Amino acid sequence: MDDYRDLGRMSAVEKVDLNTPHYYVPHHYVLKPTSTTTKLRVVFDASCKTTSQKSLNGILAVGPTLQNELYILLLRFRLFRYALTADIVKMYRQILVDADDRKFQRILWRSTPDDEVCTYQLNTVTYGMASAPYLAVQSFNYIADTYEASYPIGASVVKTSFYVDDLLCGADTLAEISRIKHEVTEVLRRGCFTLAK
């Protein structure tokens, strides 16, 4: 949680206006004993109901499905001689939420039991929100459209070969797969997304 604050992914709310609608998003930690890089992961529960008996996920517009079905990606992936897979590092945390909408992503937090409980608002798209996948994919599509003239192959792959944050694509020659890797990396880099694996 300190990383969230220090990296600007959440910020303190100095004064809470009780007349303005807002939702507190419960969160907890999930231990990941099998992971070598992440020992602990924060999970936000936007489906938890508030005193109004409504949850943030219950009132969010989810948005349409923009990506291909997973089975289509897997079938197409198997058609090529060479495969390329990757995932986007901390995808949701790279996408800022409009400042006017951050009041709907509030949490209560204190670093130690002796600290005062403070109100924070999450500044980025948050895993666990019903609209998070749509917002992420729409961000990819925007970046791909913006850089399509410079990186036509990369833009096309970004729009057609991701399942949430996982890239599954291929080519029949090493030259083609190398160009795909370069162009996809460049398109995503311009949107501040980093590929791993």
CSV table of all heavy atoms in Angstrom, one decimal, residues 17-71:
chain,number,residue,atom,x,y,z
A,17,ASP,N,-16.3,15.1,1.9
A,17,ASP,CA,-17.6,15.7,1.8
A,17,ASP,C,-18.6,14.6,1.9
A,17,ASP,O,-18.8,13.9,1.0
A,17,ASP,CB,-17.7,16.5,0.5
A,17,ASP,CG,-19.0,17.2,0.4
A,17,ASP,OD1,-19.9,17.1,1.3
A,17,ASP,OD2,-19.2,17.9,-0.6
A,18,LEU,N,-19.4,14.6,3.0
A,18,LEU,CA,-20.3,13.5,3.2
A,18,LEU,C,-21.6,13.7,2.3
A,18,LEU,O,-22.4,12.8,2.2
A,18,LEU,CB,-20.7,13.4,4.7
A,18,LEU,CG,-19.6,13.0,5.6
A,18,LEU,CD1,-20.1,13.0,7.1
A,18,LEU,CD2,-19.0,11.7,5.3
A,19,ASN,N,-21.7,14.8,1.7
A,19,ASN,CA,-22.9,15.0,0.8
A,19,ASN,C,-22.6,14.6,-0.6
A,19,ASN,O,-23.5,14.5,-1.5
A,19,ASN,CB,-23.3,16.5,0.8
A,19,ASN,CG,-23.8,17.0,2.1
A,19,ASN,OD1,-24.5,16.2,2.8
A,19,ASN,ND2,-23.4,18.1,2.6
A,20,THR,N,-21.3,14.3,-0.9
A,20,THR,CA,-20.9,13.8,-2.3
A,20,THR,C,-20.9,12.3,-2.3
A,20,THR,O,-20.4,11.7,-1.4
A,20,THR,CB,-19.5,14.3,-2.6
A,20,THR,OG1,-19.5,15.7,-2.5
A,20,THR,CG2,-19.1,13.9,-4.0
A,21,PRO,N,-21.6,11.7,-3.3
A,21,PRO,CA,-21.6,10.2,-3.3
A,21,PRO,C,-20.2,9.7,-3.5
A,21,PRO,O,-19.4,10.2,-4.2
A,21,PRO,CB,-22.4,9.9,-4.6
A,21,PRO,CG,-23.0,11.1,-5.1
A,21,PRO,CD,-22.3,12.3,-4.4
A,22,HIS,N,-19.9,8.6,-2.7
A,22,HIS,CA,-18.6,8.0,-2.9
A,22,HIS,C,-18.7,6.5,-2.3
A,22,HIS,O,-19.7,6.2,-1.6
A,22,HIS,CB,-17.5,8.7,-2.1
A,22,HIS,CG,-17.8,8.9,-0.6
A,22,HIS,ND1,-18.5,9.9,-0.2
A,22,HIS,CD2,-17.4,8.1,0.4
A,22,HIS,CE1,-18.6,9.8,1.2
A,22,HIS,NE2,-18.0,8.7,1.5
A,23,TYR,N,-17.8,5.7,-2.7
A,23,TYR,CA,-17.9,4.3,-2.3
A,23,TYR,C,-16.5,4.0,-1.7
A,23,TYR,O,-15.5,4.3,-2.3
A,23,TYR,CB,-18.2,3.4,-3.5
A,23,TYR,CG,-19.6,3.4,-3.8
A,23,TYR,CD1,-20.1,4.4,-4.6
A,23,TYR,CD2,-20.5,2.4,-3.4
A,23,TYR,CE1,-21.5,4.4,-4.9
A,23,TYR,CE2,-21.8,2.4,-3.7
A,23,TYR,CZ,-22.3,3.4,-4.5
A,23,TYR,OH,-23.6,3.4,-4.8
A,24,TYR,N,-16.5,3.2,-0.6
A,24,TYR,CA,-15.3,2.7,-0.1
A,24,TYR,C,-15.1,1.3,-0.6
A,24,TYR,O,-16.1,0.5,-0.5
A,24,TYR,CB,-15.3,2.7,1.4
A,24,TYR,CG,-15.1,4.1,2.0
A,24,TYR,CD1,-16.2,5.0,2.2
A,24,TYR,CD2,-13.8,4.6,2.2
A,24,TYR,CE1,-16.0,6.2,2.7
A,24,TYR,CE2,-13.6,5.9,2.6
A,24,TYR,CZ,-14.7,6.7,2.9
A,24,TYR,OH,-14.5,8.0,3.3
A,25,VAL,N,-14.0,1.0,-1.2
A,25,VAL,CA,-13.7,-0.3,-1.7
A,25,VAL,C,-12.9,-1.1,-0.7
A,25,VAL,O,-11.8,-0.8,-0.4
A,25,VAL,CB,-12.9,-0.1,-3.1
A,25,VAL,CG1,-12.7,-1.5,-3.7
A,25,VAL,CG2,-13.6,0.8,-4.0
A,26,PRO,N,-13.6,-2.2,-0.2
A,26,PRO,CA,-12.8,-3.0,0.8
A,26,PRO,C,-11.6,-3.7,0.1
A,26,PRO,O,-11.7,-3.9,-1.1
A,26,PRO,CB,-13.8,-4.1,1.2
A,26,PRO,CG,-15.2,-3.5,0.8
A,26,PRO,CD,-14.9,-2.6,-0.4
A,27,HIS,N,-10.6,-3.9,0.8
A,27,HIS,CA,-9.4,-4.5,0.3
A,27,HIS,C,-8.8,-5.5,1.3
A,27,HIS,O,-9.0,-5.3,2.5
A,27,HIS,CB,-8.4,-3.5,-0.2
A,27,HIS,CG,-7.9,-2.6,0.9
A,27,HIS,ND1,-8.6,-1.6,1.3
A,27,HIS,CD2,-6.7,-2.6,1.6
A,27,HIS,CE1,-8.0,-0.9,2.3
A,27,HIS,NE2,-6.8,-1.5,2.5
A,28,HIS,N,-8.1,-6.4,0.8
A,28,HIS,CA,-7.4,-7.4,1.7
A,28,HIS,C,-6.2,-7.8,0.9
A,28,HIS,O,-5.9,-7.5,-0.2
A,28,HIS,CB,-8.3,-8.5,2.1
A,28,HIS,CG,-8.8,-9.3,1.0
A,28,HIS,ND1,-10.0,-8.9,0.3
A,28,HIS,CD2,-8.4,-10.5,0.4
A,28,HIS,CE1,-10.2,-9.8,-0.7
A,28,HIS,NE2,-9.3,-10.8,-0.6
A,29,TYR,N,-5.4,-8.6,1.6
A,29,TYR,CA,-4.1,-9.1,1.0
A,29,TYR,C,-4.3,-10.6,0.7
A,29,TYR,O,-4.9,-11.4,1.5
A,29,TYR,CB,-3.0,-9.0,2.0
A,29,TYR,CG,-2.7,-7.5,2.3
A,29,TYR,CD1,-3.1,-6.9,3.5
A,29,TYR,CD2,-2.1,-6.7,1.4
A,29,TYR,CE1,-2.9,-5.6,3.8
A,29,TYR,CE2,-1.9,-5.4,1.6
A,29,TYR,CZ,-2.3,-4.8,2.8
A,29,TYR,OH,-2.0,-3.5,3.1
A,30,VAL,N,-3.6,-11.0,-0.4
A,30,VAL,CA,-3.6,-12.4,-0.7
A,30,VAL,C,-2.1,-12.8,-0.8
A,30,VAL,O,-1.3,-12.2,-1.5
A,30,VAL,CB,-4.2,-12.7,-2.1
A,30,VAL,CG1,-4.1,-14.1,-2.5
A,30,VAL,CG2,-5.7,-12.3,-2.1
A,31,LEU,N,-1.8,-13.8,0.0
A,31,LEU,CA,-0.4,-14.3,0.0
A,31,LEU,C,-0.2,-15.2,-1.2
A,31,LEU,O,-1.1,-15.9,-1.6
A,31,LEU,CB,-0.1,-15.2,1.3
A,31,LEU,CG,0.0,-14.4,2.6
A,31,LEU,CD1,0.1,-15.4,3.7
A,31,LEU,CD2,1.2,-13.5,2.5
A,32,LYS,N,0.9,-15.0,-1.9
A,32,LYS,CA,1.2,-15.8,-3.1
A,32,LYS,C,2.5,-16.6,-2.8
A,32,LYS,O,3.6,-16.2,-3.3
A,32,LYS,CB,1.4,-14.9,-4.3
A,32,LYS,CG,0.1,-14.1,-4.6
A,32,LYS,CD,0.3,-13.3,-5.8
A,32,LYS,CE,0.5,-14.2,-7.0
A,32,LYS,NZ,0.9,-13.6,-8.2
A,33,PRO,N,2.4,-17.7,-2.1
A,33,PRO,CA,3.6,-18.4,-1.7
A,33,PRO,C,4.4,-19.0,-2.9
A,33,PRO,O,5.5,-19.3,-2.8
A,33,PRO,CB,3.1,-19.5,-0.8
A,33,PRO,CG,1.7,-19.7,-1.1
A,33,PRO,CD,1.2,-18.3,-1.6
A,34,THR,N,3.7,-19.2,-4.1
A,34,THR,CA,4.3,-19.8,-5.2
A,34,THR,C,5.1,-18.8,-6.1
A,34,THR,O,5.8,-19.1,-7.0
A,34,THR,CB,3.3,-20.6,-6.1
A,34,THR,OG1,2.3,-19.7,-6.5
A,34,THR,CG2,2.7,-21.7,-5.3
A,35,SER,N,4.8,-17.5,-5.9
A,35,SER,CA,5.4,-16.5,-6.7
A,35,SER,C,6.8,-16.2,-6.2
A,35,SER,O,7.0,-16.1,-5.0
A,35,SER,CB,4.6,-15.2,-6.6
A,35,SER,OG,5.2,-14.2,-7.3
A,36,THR,N,7.7,-16.0,-7.1
A,36,THR,CA,9.1,-15.6,-6.7
A,36,THR,C,9.3,-14.1,-6.6
A,36,THR,O,10.3,-13.6,-6.1
A,36,THR,CB,10.1,-16.2,-7.7
A,36,THR,OG1,9.8,-15.8,-9.0
A,36,THR,CG2,10.1,-17.7,-7.6
A,37,THR,N,8.4,-13.3,-7.3
A,37,THR,CA,8.6,-11.9,-7.3
A,37,THR,C,7.6,-11.1,-6.4
A,37,THR,O,7.9,-10.1,-5.9
A,37,THR,CB,8.4,-11.4,-8.8
A,37,THR,OG1,7.1,-11.7,-9.3
A,37,THR,CG2,9.5,-11.9,-9.7
A,38,THR,N,6.4,-11.7,-6.2
A,38,THR,CA,5.3,-11.0,-5.5
A,38,THR,C,4.9,-11.9,-4.3
A,38,THR,O,4.3,-12.9,-4.5
A,38,THR,CB,4.1,-10.6,-6.4
A,38,THR,OG1,4.5,-9.9,-7.5
A,38,THR,CG2,3.1,-9.8,-5.6
A,39,LYS,N,5.3,-11.5,-3.1
A,39,LYS,CA,5.0,-12.2,-1.9
A,39,LYS,C,3.5,-11.9,-1.5
A,39,LYS,O,2.9,-12.8,-0.9
A,39,LYS,CB,5.9,-11.9,-0.8
A,39,LYS,CG,7.4,-12.2,-1.2
A,39,LYS,CD,7.6,-13.7,-1.2
A,39,LYS,CE,9.1,-13.9,-1.5
A,39,LYS,NZ,9.4,-15.0,-2.4
A,40,LEU,N,3.1,-10.7,-1.7
A,40,LEU,CA,1.8,-10.3,-1.2
A,40,LEU,C,1.1,-9.4,-2.3
A,40,LEU,O,1.8,-8.6,-2.9
A,40,LEU,CB,2.1,-9.4,0.0
A,40,LEU,CG,1.0,-9.1,1.0
A,40,LEU,CD1,0.4,-10.3,1.6
A,40,LEU,CD2,1.5,-8.1,2.0
A,41,ARG,N,-0.2,-9.6,-2.5
A,41,ARG,CA,-0.9,-8.8,-3.5
A,41,ARG,C,-2.1,-8.2,-2.9
A,41,ARG,O,-2.8,-8.9,-2.2
A,41,ARG,CB,-1.3,-9.7,-4.7
A,41,ARG,CG,-2.2,-9.0,-5.7
A,41,ARG,CD,-2.4,-9.8,-6.9
A,41,ARG,NE,-1.2,-9.8,-7.7
A,41,ARG,CZ,-1.0,-10.5,-8.8
A,41,ARG,NH1,-1.9,-11.3,-9.2
A,41,ARG,NH2,0.1,-10.4,-9.4
A,42,VAL,N,-2.3,-6.9,-3.1
A,42,VAL,CA,-3.5,-6.3,-2.6
A,42,VAL,C,-4.7,-6.6,-3.6
A,42,VAL,O,-4.5,-6.5,-4.8
A,42,VAL,CB,-3.3,-4.7,-2.6
A,42,VAL,CG1,-4.6,-4.0,-2.0
A,42,VAL,CG2,-2.1,-4.4,-1.7
A,43,VAL,N,-5.8,-7.0,-3.0
A,43,VAL,CA,-7.0,-7.3,-3.8
A,43,VAL,C,-8.1,-6.3,-3.3
A,43,VAL,O,-8.4,-6.2,-2.1
A,43,VAL,CB,-7.4,-8.7,-3.6
A,43,VAL,CG1,-8.7,-9.0,-4.4
A,43,VAL,CG2,-6.3,-9.7,-4.1
A,44,PHE,N,-8.7,-5.6,-4.3
A,44,PHE,CA,-9.8,-4.7,-3.9
A,44,PHE,C,-11.1,-5.4,-4.3
A,44,PHE,O,-11.3,-5.9,-5.3
A,44,PHE,CB,-9.7,-3.4,-4.7
A,44,PHE,CG,-8.4,-2.6,-4.3
A,44,PHE,CD1,-7.3,-2.8,-5.1
A,44,PHE,CD2,-8.4,-1.8,-3.2
A,44,PHE,CE1,-6.1,-2.1,-4.7
A,44,PHE,CE2,-7.3,-1.2,-2.9
A,44,PHE,CZ,-6.1,-1.3,-3.6
A,45,ASP,N,-12.1,-5.3,-3.4
A,45,ASP,CA,-13.4,-6.0,-3.5
A,45,ASP,C,-14.5,-4.9,-3.8
A,45,ASP,O,-15.1,-4.5,-2.9
A,45,ASP,CB,-13.7,-6.8,-2.3
A,45,ASP,CG,-15.0,-7.6,-2.4
A,45,ASP,OD1,-15.6,-7.6,-3.5
A,45,ASP,OD2,-15.4,-8.2,-1.4
A,46,ALA,N,-14.7,-4.6,-5.1
A,46,ALA,CA,-15.7,-3.6,-5.4
A,46,ALA,C,-17.0,-4.2,-5.5
A,46,ALA,O,-18.0,-3.5,-5.8
A,46,ALA,CB,-15.3,-3.0,-6.8
A,47,SER,N,-17.2,-5.5,-5.2
A,47,SER,CA,-18.5,-6.1,-5.2
A,47,SER,C,-19.1,-6.1,-3.8
A,47,SER,O,-20.2,-6.6,-3.6
A,47,SER,CB,-18.4,-7.6,-5.7
A,47,SER,OG,-18.1,-7.6,-7.1
A,48,CYS,N,-18.4,-5.7,-2.8
A,48,CYS,CA,-18.8,-5.6,-1.4
A,48,CYS,C,-19.9,-4.5,-1.3
A,48,CYS,O,-19.7,-3.4,-1.7
A,48,CYS,CB,-17.7,-5.3,-0.5
A,48,CYS,SG,-18.1,-5.3,1.2
A,49,LYS,N,-21.0,-4.8,-0.7
A,49,LYS,CA,-22.1,-3.9,-0.6
A,49,LYS,C,-21.9,-2.9,0.5
A,49,LYS,O,-21.3,-3.2,1.6
A,49,LYS,CB,-23.5,-4.6,-0.4
A,49,LYS,CG,-23.9,-5.4,-1.6
A,49,LYS,CD,-25.2,-6.1,-1.4
A,49,LYS,CE,-25.5,-6.8,-2.7
A,49,LYS,NZ,-26.8,-7.6,-2.6
A,50,THR,N,-22.3,-1.7,0.3
A,50,THR,CA,-22.2,-0.6,1.3
A,50,THR,C,-23.5,-0.6,2.2
A,50,THR,O,-24.3,-1.5,2.0
A,50,THR,CB,-22.0,0.8,0.7
A,50,THR,OG1,-23.2,1.1,0.0
A,50,THR,CG2,-20.8,0.7,-0.3
A,51,THR,N,-23.6,0.4,3.0
A,51,THR,CA,-24.8,0.5,3.9
A,51,THR,C,-26.1,0.7,3.0
A,51,THR,O,-27.2,0.5,3.5
A,51,THR,CB,-24.6,1.7,4.9
A,51,THR,OG1,-24.3,2.9,4.1
A,51,THR,CG2,-23.5,1.4,5.9
A,52,SER,N,-25.9,1.2,1.8
A,52,SER,CA,-27.1,1.4,0.9
A,52,SER,C,-27.5,0.1,0.2
A,52,SER,O,-28.4,0.0,-0.6
A,52,SER,CB,-26.7,2.4,-0.2
A,52,SER,OG,-25.7,1.9,-1.1
A,53,GLN,N,-26.7,-1.0,0.5
A,53,GLN,CA,-27.0,-2.3,-0.1
A,53,GLN,C,-26.6,-2.4,-1.6
A,53,GLN,O,-27.0,-3.2,-2.3
A,53,GLN,CB,-28.4,-2.8,0.1
A,53,GLN,CG,-28.7,-3.1,1.6
A,53,GLN,CD,-27.7,-4.0,2.3
A,53,GLN,OE1,-27.4,-5.1,1.9
A,53,GLN,NE2,-27.1,-3.5,3.4
A,54,LYS,N,-25.8,-1.4,-2.0
A,54,LYS,CA,-25.3,-1.4,-3.3
A,54,LYS,C,-23.7,-1.5,-3.3
A,54,LYS,O,-23.1,-1.0,-2.4
A,54,LYS,CB,-25.7,-0.1,-4.1
A,54,LYS,CG,-27.2,0.1,-4.3
A,54,LYS,CD,-27.5,1.4,-5.0
A,54,LYS,CE,-29.0,1.5,-5.1
A,54,LYS,NZ,-29.3,2.7,-5.8
A,55,SER,N,-23.2,-2.1,-4.3
A,55,SER,CA,-21.7,-2.1,-4.4
A,55,SER,C,-21.3,-1.3,-5.6
A,55,SER,O,-22.1,-0.9,-6.5
A,55,SER,CB,-21.3,-3.6,-4.7
A,55,SER,OG,-21.6,-4.0,-5.9
A,56,LEU,N,-20.0,-0.9,-5.6
A,56,LEU,CA,-19.5,-0.1,-6.8
A,56,LEU,C,-19.7,-0.9,-8.1
A,56,LEU,O,-20.2,-0.4,-9.1
A,56,LEU,CB,-18.1,0.3,-6.6
A,56,LEU,CG,-17.4,1.1,-7.6
A,56,LEU,CD1,-18.2,2.4,-7.9
A,56,LEU,CD2,-16.0,1.4,-7.3
A,57,ASN,N,-19.3,-2.2,-8.0
A,57,ASN,CA,-19.5,-3.0,-9.2
A,57,ASN,C,-21.0,-3.2,-9.7
A,57,ASN,O,-21.2,-3.3,-10.9
A,57,ASN,CB,-18.9,-4.4,-9.0
A,57,ASN,CG,-17.4,-4.5,-9.3
A,57,ASN,OD1,-16.8,-3.5,-9.8
A,57,ASN,ND2,-16.8,-5.6,-8.9
A,58,GLY,N,-21.9,-3.1,-8.7
A,58,GLY,CA,-23.3,-3.2,-9.0
A,58,GLY,C,-23.8,-2.0,-9.8
A,58,GLY,O,-24.8,-2.1,-10.5
A,59,ILE,N,-23.1,-0.9,-9.7
A,59,ILE,CA,-23.6,0.3,-10.4
A,59,ILE,C,-22.7,0.8,-11.6
A,59,ILE,O,-23.1,1.7,-12.3
A,59,ILE,CB,-23.9,1.5,-9.5
A,59,ILE,CG1,-22.6,1.9,-8.8
A,59,ILE,CG2,-25.0,1.1,-8.5
A,59,ILE,CD1,-22.7,3.2,-8.0
A,60,LEU,N,-21.6,0.1,-11.7
A,60,LEU,CA,-20.6,0.5,-12.8
A,60,LEU,C,-21.1,0.0,-14.1
A,60,LEU,O,-21.7,-1.1,-14.2
A,60,LEU,CB,-19.3,-0.1,-12.5
A,60,LEU,CG,-18.3,0.6,-11.6
A,60,LEU,CD1,-17.1,-0.2,-11.4
A,60,LEU,CD2,-17.9,2.0,-12.2
A,61,ALA,N,-20.9,0.8,-15.2
A,61,ALA,CA,-21.2,0.4,-16.5
A,61,ALA,C,-20.0,-0.5,-16.9
A,61,ALA,O,-18.8,0.0,-16.8
A,61,ALA,CB,-21.3,1.6,-17.5
A,62,VAL,N,-20.2,-1.7,-17.3
A,62,VAL,CA,-19.1,-2.6,-17.6
A,62,VAL,C,-18.5,-2.4,-18.9
A,62,VAL,O,-17.3,-2.5,-19.1
A,62,VAL,CB,-19.6,-4.1,-17.5
A,62,VAL,CG1,-18.5,-5.1,-17.8
A,62,VAL,CG2,-20.1,-4.4,-16.1
A,63,GLY,N,-19.2,-2.0,-19.9
A,63,GLY,CA,-18.7,-1.8,-21.2
A,63,GLY,C,-18.8,-3.1,-22.0
A,63,GLY,O,-18.8,-4.2,-21.5
A,64,PRO,N,-18.8,-2.9,-23.4
A,64,PRO,CA,-18.9,-4.1,-24.2
A,64,PRO,C,-17.5,-4.9,-24.2
A,64,PRO,O,-16.5,-4.3,-23.9
A,64,PRO,CB,-19.2,-3.5,-25.6
A,64,PRO,CG,-18.6,-2.2,-25.6
A,64,PRO,CD,-18.7,-1.7,-24.2
A,65,THR,N,-17.6,-6.2,-24.6
A,65,THR,CA,-16.4,-7.0,-24.8
A,65,THR,C,-15.7,-6.5,-26.1
A,65,THR,O,-16.3,-6.4,-27.2
A,65,THR,CB,-16.8,-8.5,-24.9
A,65,THR,OG1,-17.5,-8.8,-23.7
A,65,THR,CG2,-15.6,-9.3,-25.1
A,66,LEU,N,-14.5,-6.2,-26.0
A,66,LEU,CA,-13.7,-5.6,-27.1
A,66,LEU,C,-12.7,-6.6,-27.7
A,66,LEU,O,-12.2,-6.4,-28.8
A,66,LEU,CB,-13.0,-4.3,-26.7
A,66,LEU,CG,-13.9,-3.2,-26.3
A,66,LEU,CD1,-13.0,-2.0,-25.8
A,66,LEU,CD2,-14.8,-2.7,-27.4
A,67,GLN,N,-12.4,-7.6,-26.9
A,67,GLN,CA,-11.4,-8.6,-27.3
A,67,GLN,C,-12.0,-9.9,-27.9
A,67,GLN,O,-13.1,-10.2,-27.6
A,67,GLN,CB,-10.4,-8.9,-26.2
A,67,GLN,CG,-9.6,-7.8,-25.8
A,67,GLN,CD,-8.6,-8.1,-24.6
A,67,GLN,OE1,-9.0,-8.9,-23.7
A,67,GLN,NE2,-7.4,-7.6,-24.7
A,68,ASN,N,-11.2,-10.6,-28.7
A,68,ASN,CA,-11.6,-11.9,-29.1
A,68,ASN,C,-11.8,-12.9,-28.0
A,68,ASN,O,-11.2,-12.7,-26.9
A,68,ASN,CB,-10.6,-12.5,-30.1
A,68,ASN,CG,-10.6,-11.7,-31.4
A,68,ASN,OD1,-11.6,-11.3,-32.0
A,68,ASN,ND2,-9.4,-11.5,-32.0
A,69,GLU,N,-12.6,-13.9,-28.2
A,69,GLU,CA,-12.7,-14.9,-27.2
A,69,GLU,C,-11.4,-15.6,-27.1
A,69,GLU,O,-10.7,-15.8,-28.1
A,69,GLU,CB,-13.8,-15.9,-27.6
A,69,GLU,CG,-15.2,-15.3,-27.7
A,69,GLU,CD,-15.8,-15.0,-26.3
A,69,GLU,OE1,-15.4,-15.7,-25.3
A,69,GLU,OE2,-16.6,-14.1,-26.2
A,70,LEU,N,-11.1,-16.2,-25.9
A,70,LEU,CA,-9.8,-16.8,-25.7
A,70,LEU,C,-9.6,-18.0,-26.6
A,70,LEU,O,-8.5,-18.2,-27.1
A,70,LEU,CB,-9.8,-17.3,-24.2
A,70,LEU,CG,-8.5,-18.0,-23.8
A,70,LEU,CD1,-7.3,-17.1,-24.0
A,70,LEU,CD2,-8.5,-18.4,-22.3
A,71,TYR,N,-10.7,-18.8,-26.8
A,71,TYR,CA,-10.5,-20.0,-27.7
A,71,TYR,C,-10.1,-19.6,-29.1
A,71,TYR,O,-9.3,-20.3,-29.8
A,71,TYR,CB,-11.7,-20.9,-27.7
A,71,TYR,CG,-12.9,-20.4,-28.5
A,71,TYR,CD1,-13.1,-20.7,-29.8
A,71,TYR,CD2,-13.9,-19.6,-27.9
A,71,TYR,CE1,-14.2,-20.2,-30.5
A,71,TYR,CE2,-15.0,-19.1,-28.6
A,71,TYR,CZ,-15.1,-19.4,-29.9
A,71,TYR,OH,-16.2,-19.0,-30.6
